[in-house]
Amino acid sequence: MNIDQTKPLEYGTHKNEMNILGFWIFLGAEIMLFATLFTSYFIYENRIGSGPSGAEIFEITPVLIETIVLLTSSFTIGLAINAMRLNRTKATLWFLAITLVLGATFLSVEIYEFIHYYHIGVTLQTSGFTGILLTTLGTHGAHVTFGLFWGIAIFLQIKKRGLTLETANKSFIYSLYWHFLDVMWIFIFSFIYLKGMM
Amino acid sequence: MEFFERFALPHPDPMIYASMVAIVVVSIAIVAGLTYFKKWGYLWNEWLTTTDHKRIGIMYLISALLMLFRGGADAVMMRIQLSSPEMEFLNAQHYNEVFTTHGVVMIFFMAMPFVIGLMNYIVPLQIGARDVAFPRLNALSFWMFFAGAMLFNISFVVGGSPDAGWTNYFPLAGNEFSPTVGVNYYMWALQISGLGTLMTGINFLVTIFKMRAPGMKLMKMPMFTWSALITNVIIIFAFPVLTVALLMGTLDRQFGTALFTTGSGGMDMYWANLFWVWGHPEVYILILPAFGIYSEIISTFSQRNLYGYKSMVGSMVLISLLSFFVWVHHFFTMGQGALTNSIFSITTMAIAIPTGIKIFNWLLTMWKGKIRFTVPMLYSVAFIPLFTVGGVTGVMLAMASADYQYHNTMFLVAHFHNTIIPGVVYAMLAGLTYWWPKMFGFKLNERIGKWAFWFNVIGFVLAFFPMYLTGLDGQARRMYTYSESTGFGPMNMIAFVGAGLFAIAFILIAYNVFYSFKHSPRNIGDDPWNGRSLEWATHNPVPAYNFAIEPEVESSQAFWDHKQKKHNLFKGKISKIHMPNNSGIPIIMAGILFVFGFSFVFSIWPAVIIAAVAFFACMIYSSFENDQGRYISEQEIKETEAKFGGDSK
């Protein structure tokens, strides 16, 4: 295996480079997925039937908490990758752990939000609007959930094997995924919540 | 007992029971045969767990041919039913099921795997690579396609087939009008195989971007590889739309959402939009690789460089862009207003321009060429005029106001078969015949192949051209019968005869495989067609490592210039080669997905949850597995090369 010493560890081999390019292409597909969901959301936004509208159900507090927590986690995963580049395994693990805790916090608040919706009678079945709202939020939430398990797997692998060509490559790809979820959340925050509350 | 009643057939019929028996008998025969000849180990080690792009390609092709016969049987049943007025061969319900499964099987489970199978086999060879970028992911893609195909195919014996058309428009496909589980099958079969296709797209883009032989710049790639590149870009952008549409459809049917309904703020026309935002690019996902294959074949058998290489690439890029801006032409009559219709009318007609450029390029490639009329070339030559007819009727359909006359008539059916059959199916048959020696080391018999070709062309023309006429006269598609006074009888009888000839063509093709396997000479050398691109620079059939020495390329006709201008392709010397290990994980994950899909179709939630957990467990297992692949030693390569006659390539 040819290891290119001039590049960061995660780009060290041809295989690693291909993994990263492949993941960027995957993110392209993910952008299309969320773009379709957002388009659908805009189409159903005012199709509320006899159910409530966004302005009636959105509450700023939990949404703000979710936003702050997720944005912070994007910062900490950035720090984790920075620590990885400096070859500091322990710091990498710590920042990764903080990221995962923040991700779990985000998810807990989102689950609380969903339970709240359920109690005020907003479910998938209420109207076209609530259906697509919960589908879009749910798809994002499912991505975060998947990301948490993925992150735990990577945490364990770094702990066991240290920062190798493989684990560095996986961590870097994971950070791309995590940043991507954050970007999608910014769109959700702006175009679903803020727009809905206006 | 209520639990078991779900699996019962809603519309039983002696033919379906006969099929059930046939399925059971064939399955037992396969299992018994494998056990008797002690082939389980061979099957598992050499095929089911393989990560070799060539074997995966062949498995795609076998599946595609099987599905071709399944979809073909559906087609023949429809033609029998319509052959004369007031026919009572199929009732309305069965006719609905048959045209639905015909469409889905032919598009998703015949054309797609055929295209992807040829890409799998040929693209790495054409770019001088040893495998695709992610071999294990490639195997997972195949097995997910296969799981989806099997899920779809068991629908007609367990629970009932989908019956809302291959376009599956809501609200017809909603619970109210399609109460059986049929449409659930549609949702999950397509979801599973569609995700597999998306992964294929990622895999091939990385392969083409990162694994080309030294010297092969993008503009020196063979045209089929170019078409594969553009096709995979379309896959990346189009398939996520289908994923969302299918998810929304599933939510509507199984979780009671109001997305595609007419009440509670639902939007019943939105499915059609989502479906065709994916569906129209999908048409080009099928036809662009076909264009690539024709480019290879026409250039090879005219013994000339492809005319207008750059304009070929440019026109494909243009087609791929336009393909995302035409979807509304599938429902001009849905009432979106004159302005919208006009815009989509113009974008649709615009596609004729890049397509026309390609047609002229092929003609000019043949101009003054030394043409050899082999079977692949015959298909390519027949393609040009027939496809042009299909294209021109497409422009007719693109005129929004005139479309009110043709919409959902047999004219439309004739049009799209006229593009798909001479376009995609002939390309697949031509490509299969052309690359057959590459895969198996012998040629298909030319004489039988030519008979099949003529049956194919004459059968096609007889089967579909009458539909243009009855369509203009007002025969609606998807109607299971018509009265004698309509006067559609004679034309439909001609179409039935054509379908019969068409069926004979495919039987001849199947017979040709059998005949050639027994009688064709094996000493055809490495370059039986006097080829031009890199896939012919290695042995027939291709050794596991593809090329003993990595080729170095100087022109877009790498192998031709190697022969004619004495370009040296193989400058290095043999050294050990890194190869991926086999893995059972892909087939196991796809098996789990099959269980997941089946349980979801019938809303058996405990099984759904168990399957989902098992699926993620497989992913975690895979992640922790430390698989570094294996090396083929220098010694072993030299021995293999010696077997092929010494000259190490």
Side-chain angles (χ1 to χ4, degrees), chain B residues 302 304 307 361-371:
Chain B
S302 307
R304 293 192 64 206
Y307 186 89
N361 280 342
W362 288 313
L363 291 175
L364 289 168
T365 305
M366 284 191 273
W367 180 256
K368 289 187 179 171
K370 283 180 233 122
I371 299 179

Side-chain angles (χ1 to χ4, degrees), chain B residues 17 166 331 334 344 422 524 534 559 561 563 619:
Chain B
Y17 288 124
W166 88 277
F331 40 82
M334 209 162 72
F344 282 91
I524 51 165
L534 273 186
F559 186 53
D561 290 343
K563 289 185 288 189
M619 286 180 90

Side-chain angles (χ1 to χ4, degrees), chain A residues 14-15 17-19 22 25-26 29 32-33 36 40 43-44 47 124-125 127-128 135 146 153 157 161 166 170, chain B residues 133-134 202 205-206 210-211 236-237 240-241 251 255-257 259 264-267 270 274 616 623-624 628:
Chain A
H14 189 231
K15 176 78 191 148
E17 278 182 14
M18 292 202 297
N19 288 345
I25 296 170
F26 172 73
M32 274 309 289
L33 184 99
T36 312
S40 309
I43 283 170
Y44 287 101
R47 305 184 70 91
L124 272 173
Q125 293 84 5
S127 66
T135 306
F146 180 80
Q157 283 177 27
R161 295 173 194 164
E166 279 90 22
K170 286 179 184 181
Chain B
F134 311 112
I202 296 171
L205 283 181
V206 178
K210 285 278 186 186
M211 294 177 78
I236 298 297
F237 285 106
V241 182
L251 288 174
F255 296 92
T257 53
L259 297 168
S264 305
M267 171 94 144
Y270 191 49
L274 281 183
F616 290 115
S623 174
F624 278 86
Q628 299 293 349

Side-chain angles (χ1 to χ4, degrees), chain B residues 312-629:
Chain B
M312 281 298 207
V313 174
S315 57
M316 282 198 290
V317 172
L318 206 58
I319 290 174
S320 70
L321 290 174
L322 284 172
S323 74
F324 282 92
F325 299 100
V326 298
W327 78 90
V328 171
H329 72 214
H330 294 273
F331 40 82
F332 279 142
T333 57
M334 209 162 72
Q336 48 271 325
L339 179 64
T340 310
N341 276 0
S342 309
I343 291 168
F344 282 91
S345 190
I346 290 165
T347 52
T348 306
M349 289 185 211
I351 287 192
I353 297 167
T355 317
I357 291 173
K358 298 189 82 70
I359 297 273
F360 282 108
N361 280 342
W362 288 313
L363 291 175
L364 289 168
T365 305
M366 284 191 273
W367 180 256
K368 289 187 179 171
K370 283 180 233 122
I371 299 179
R372 285 172 291 157
F373 282 104
T374 56
V375 171
M377 188 62 178
L378 283 175
Y379 280 113
S380 310
V381 170
F383 149 78
I384 292 175
L386 289 176
F387 186 80
T388 306
V389 174
V392 168
T393 52
V395 177
M396 285 172 74
L397 282 156
M399 298 174 200
S401 43
D403 184 62
Y404 279 74
Q405 173 69 19
Y406 322 125
H407 187 76
N408 266 359
T409 64
M410 292 309 250
F411 187 86
L412 169 77
V413 175
H415 156 70
F416 71 73
H417 283 92
N418 202 165
T419 50
I420 288 180
I421 291 173
V424 182
V425 178
Y426 285 8
M428 296 307 130
L429 295 175
L432 190 67
T433 317
Y434 178 57
W435 283 309
W436 189 274
K438 199 77 246 161
M439 299 175 192
F440 301 106
F442 61 90
K443 281 187 185 178
L444 289 173
N445 184 286
E446 283 280 307
R447 224 171 90 87
I448 304 174
K450 281 176 184 167
W451 275 101
F453 165 77
W454 285 110
F455 270 100
N456 220 322
V457 170
I458 295 168
F460 165 76
V461 169
L462 286 180
F464 291 100
F465 281 21
M467 292 183 202
Y468 281 126
L469 303 175
T470 59
L472 284 178
D473 277 347
Q475 188 185 8
R477 79 193 280 209
R478 293 174 174 165
M479 292 296 288
Y480 82 109
T481 193
Y482 51 90
S483 69
E484 200 175 347
S485 59
T486 56
F488 300 148
M491 282 298 172
N492 277 288
M493 184 45 94
I494 295 173
F496 167 66
V497 174
L501 298 179
F502 210 43
I504 292 171
F506 286 99
I507 292 167
L508 278 174
I509 288 166
Y511 172 70
N512 197 3
V513 171
F514 172 74
Y515 179 90
S516 307
F517 178 70
K518 292 207 105 167
H519 300 290
S520 275
R522 297 306 200 260
N523 54 345
I524 51 165
D526 291 342
D527 182 21
W529 304 113
N530 199 6
R532 311 178 75 84
S533 42
L534 273 186
E535 76 267 30
W536 302 107
T538 182
H539 305 296
N540 287 335
V542 188
Y545 47 77
N546 291 358
F547 299 93
I549 300 166
E550 194 178 29
E552 287 175 42
V553 176
E554 289 171 48
S555 69
S556 67
Q557 316 280 323
F559 186 53
W560 183 256
D561 290 343
H562 165 70
K563 289 185 288 189
Q564 299 293 321
K565 299 183 188 164
K566 307 290 174 216
H567 286 180
N568 189 4
L569 279 178
F570 301 101
K571 291 175 188 150
K573 59 181 201 309
I574 293 178
S575 62
K576 64 179 182 173
I577 295 173
H578 183 252
M579 298 297 289
N581 280 327
N582 282 2
S583 170
I585 290 282
I587 187 173
I588 292 170
M589 283 173 85
I592 292 168
L593 277 179
F594 178 86
V595 174
F596 176 86
F598 183 83
S599 315
F600 218 118
V601 165
F602 289 95
S603 310
I604 307 168
W605 305 119
V608 169
I609 293 165
I610 292 168
V613 170
F615 184 80
F616 290 115
C618 283
M619 286 180 90
I620 291 172
Y621 174 82
S622 250
S623 174
F624 278 86
E625 197 183 358
N626 201 357
D627 180 2
Q628 299 293 349

